[in-house]
Structures are given as C-alpha cells and as structure tokens.
Amino acid sequence: MGYAARITGIGSAFPEKHLSNEELTRMLAHHDVETSEKWILDRTGIRERRVANVENEAETNSSLGARAARKALKMAGRKADDIDQIIYATCSPDTLLPSTACWLQKKIGASNAWAMDINAACSGFIYGLVTAQQFILSGQARTILVVGGEVLSQITNWSDRSSCIIFGDGAGAVIVERVPAGSRQRILSSHLTSNGSLSMLFYVPAGGSNLEVTPERYAKNLHKMRMNGREIFKVAVRTLTECALRTLEKRRLSIERLDWFVPHQANLRIIEAVANRLAFPMDRVLVNLERYGNTSAATIPSALDEAVRDGRIREGQTILLDAFGAGLTAGAVLLRW
Ligand code: ACO
C-alpha cells in the first residue's frame, strides 16, 4: 500500500517583548538612523514585531521551537516519543554546531527521533515540509516534527534602516504523519526551486567558514544580514507567482478552487502584488505580518496555526503555502487540511 503525508497538529510561539514601529523609530534615532512609523507601515504593512531575550533560556530559537512543537504534538494527540524524525528550518541557529534540531530534541525529549536542520532561509518551512513528505512516502518515517524557527534579531543590523524594520522572532511547528495514499486530507503537490546566482542579494558576510568574525569585521557589522531589498522585492513577486502556479498545475487545480493562500510574510506590498497577479482575493489570503514582521521560516506555520486555532481554516479546505527567501530559494505546497 502507498502512503501520503498529512499535517495532524500545529503550534506556534513568540517571545514576550513587542517592539512597535514607534519604539523602533525612537531606538534608531538614538543611533542617528532616520525613519518613521508611517514609512515602515506604508512600505511594509508591519506595525510591530517580537524580539527575543536570548539571555532568557525560554526565548532561544530552540526553546521557541520546543514550545511550538509541544502545542503541535498536543493537537495531533502524540507524545514526543512518537516522533521519529525532527526537521528544523532556520537561518539563525542557536549554535552553528550542533544543529538547532538537536537542541530542540533535548528540550522536548524526543528520544526515538533523529534530528537535522535545513537552511533555506524564509523558504525553510516549505523545504522542511516537502522533505518530511518524502521520508513518509518512502516508508522510512511515520511521524515527523517540522519546525520553522528564527531569532533574527540577533543577526539584524540595527543601524541599517532598510533591513532592520522588517524582521522579527518566533517559531511555528507541525506534526506530519503517514496516512494511506488515497486519504482526502494530505499534501497534494509541491514545487521547490532555488537560484544560487542571486545569493549576494541577501547574505551574512562573516561568521561562516569563509570569513571569521574579527573585531574589525564585528565593528562593520559583517556578522549581520545584508539585504538588497529593492531587488529581492522584484524577484519575490515573480517567483512566488510562478511557484504558486506550478504547484497548482501539478494537481490541475485552478486557483479559484483554493480556500486559502498562505504566502511568506515579508512585506504586505509583495503579498498584494502576488495576489493581484494570481487574481486571488485578499480576503482569502492569510496575513499576520502587521503583528510579527518577517519571521523567516516561522511565518507560514505561525500564520497557519493562528487561522486553524481561530476557526478560519476548517477540515477539508484546500490551502496553498508559498515562500521565497535568501539563496534565493522558493517553494510552494498545496494541501488539503
Ligand atoms: N525609513 C525611511 N526611509 C527608508 C527606510 C526606512 N526604514 N529604508 C529605506 N528608506 C529609503 C531609501 O533610502 C530610499 O531613499 P532614496 O529614494 O532617497 O534612495 C527610499 O526609502 C526607497 O527605498 P527602497 O529600498 O526602494 O524602498 P522599498 O519601497 O523597496 O522598501 C523594503 C524597502 C521594505 C526593504 C522592500 O524593498 C522589501 O520589503 N523588500 C523585500 C525584502 C525581503 O522580503 N527580504 C526578506 C527575504 S526573505 C528571507 O530569506 C529572510
């Protein structure tokens, strides 16, 4: 008998501290960086974001991931020992070594699992979900925890006004389980892509094995994110649209049949431009970036979690998840909830 993969539980977690546009504008003014609440809201749609206090063990990346994972386990009616694989999507790991997945494994006590990280930046959750699906289809796993978690505030250059305004911290998690091939509720199709020739549009120059962080490089913030926002914006609109259409095409499903579209939450203008190109109504697009900003790999599972818990998403609905990120990476997943 063949298998299919289905999401059976979902959860999310955010740090306590809210950082509003007003507070951020005041904070930047202290560093002689000019911006305004209005500019941030008009150009991004973001009103506030959450910022982790990593001195507090409960707000490290893996701790946020563990909180989200426990909620997902509870919804799925599973215990940590039932998990046989952990996939942690992040580009802001707790440590370069070992993986954040292993730190999380220790925290939730999933002693029967093997654990690994995936770094596809903001597309990480989509890459993780498709990877989980493949292990399930091949018969090698039954119950997989996929987490998208980030503490981007630690790699944000707070003196760069064009990037520091968009990012936030948080985590989202799902339990993906093996179901019989013909099951109605399952992942229906997916499409992954990347274009490494655009790596320089968004990267962290130092801190990897290429460039050590020295005091001089630290002073220049080379260990923080560098982003060409304007160029990414253009590629993002095009790529998100293409990924959505390719994924729908694989199931020969027309866009009108979708109940919900869940795009990566990077900028409201990007989301509106994609919805416009797809001729899909904004009232069926999940948007929560005004409260959390761009939490990279965490945006899609956390937006989905919110909509599942408040009843907007109901059993049997058809949903398209769609992301892009540094790399540049991109991908989409079509599923029936
Ligand atoms: N406050 C005031 N003015 C600003 C600010 C700011 N915070 N930031 C930039 N500006 C100025 C610029 O200097 C520029 O001034 P100029 O015209 O005098 O040169 C002007 O505003 C316009 O700048 P743009 O960069 O063209 O502004 P844009 O409308 O493109 O918005 C933004 C910038 C918000 C970064 C947008 O380009 C964007 O969201 N891009 C996508 C970024 C993204 O999604 N990144 C995440 C990738 S996903 C991942 O992997 C984590």
Side-chain angles (χ1 to χ4, degrees), residues 34-36 39-40 43-44 91 120-123 152 161-163 165-167 202 225 227 229-230 232-233 264 266-267 269-270 294 296 324-326:
E34 213 183 298
T35 188
S36 69
W39 193 98
I40 303 171
R43 294 295 183 115
T44 68
C91 60
C122 301
S123 313
L152 295 170
R161 67 176 184 172
S162 66
S163 66
I165 52 163
I166 63 176
F167 297 108
F202 190 20
M225 292 184 279
M227 183 181 86
R230 204 177 291 187
I232 292 180
F233 193 109
H264 172 48
N267 183 320
R269 290 186 298 133
I270 295 179
N294 176 354
S296 183
F324 73 94

Side-chain angles (χ1 to χ4, degrees), residues 80-266:
D81 275 349
D82 297 328
I83 301 171
D84 42 32
Q85 192 174 332
I86 299 169
I87 299 174
Y88 206 113
T90 188
C91 60
S92 50
D94 279 6
T95 51
L96 275 184
L97 201 121
S99 66
T100 307
C102 284
W103 290 117
L104 170 129
Q105 178 179 26
K106 179 182 169 198
K107 285 176 180 157
I108 66 169
S111 50
N112 297 320
W114 64 273
M116 67 168 180
D117 282 4
I118 283 189
N119 179 355
C122 301
S123 313
F125 179 74
I126 298 289
Y127 275 45
L129 193 54
V130 175
T131 305
Q133 181 201 18
Q134 301 312 309
F135 276 93
I136 282 175
L137 297 187
S138 70
Q140 295 197 47
R142 279 176 183 276
T143 307
I144 304 181
L145 168 65
V146 181
V147 183
E150 305 282 6
V151 177
L152 295 170
S153 54
Q154 289 291 307
I155 53 167
T156 297
N157 178 354
W158 293 102
S159 56
D160 174 12
R161 67 176 184 172
S162 66
S163 66
C164 74
I165 52 163
I166 63 176
F167 297 108
D169 301 336
V174 293
I175 299 296
V176 185
E177 295 196 59
R178 177 199 285 184
V179 291
S183 302
R184 188 167 151 70
Q185 293 169 277
R186 66 180 199 278
I187 292 176
L188 300 168
S189 65
S190 64
H191 179 70
L192 300 181
T193 176
S194 67
N195 182 353
S197 67
L198 298 178
S199 299
M200 298 297 276
L201 290 184
F202 190 20
Y203 75 121
V204 178
S209 58
N210 250 4
L211 204 64
E212 189 189 349
V213 183
T214 59
E216 296 74 31
R217 289 171 190 149
Y218 184 90
K220 289 183 189 157
N221 272 317
L222 294 187
H223 58 305
K224 304 283 168 116
M225 292 184 279
R226 287 205 165 181
M227 183 181 86
N228 180 338
R230 204 177 291 187
E231 282 310 305
I232 292 180
F233 193 109
K234 288 186 238 164
V235 184
V237 172
R238 195 177 65 234
T239 317
L240 284 170
T241 308
E242 273 168 23
C243 280
L245 293 175
R246 296 278 293 267
T247 308
L248 289 166
E249 206 175 278
K250 287 182 185 174
R251 289 296 304 181
R252 298 185 189 283
L253 196 84
S254 68
I255 188 122
E256 304 86 64
R257 303 266 308 277
L258 273 188
D259 291 296
W260 295 103
F261 178 49
V262 192
H264 172 48
Q265 312 280 305

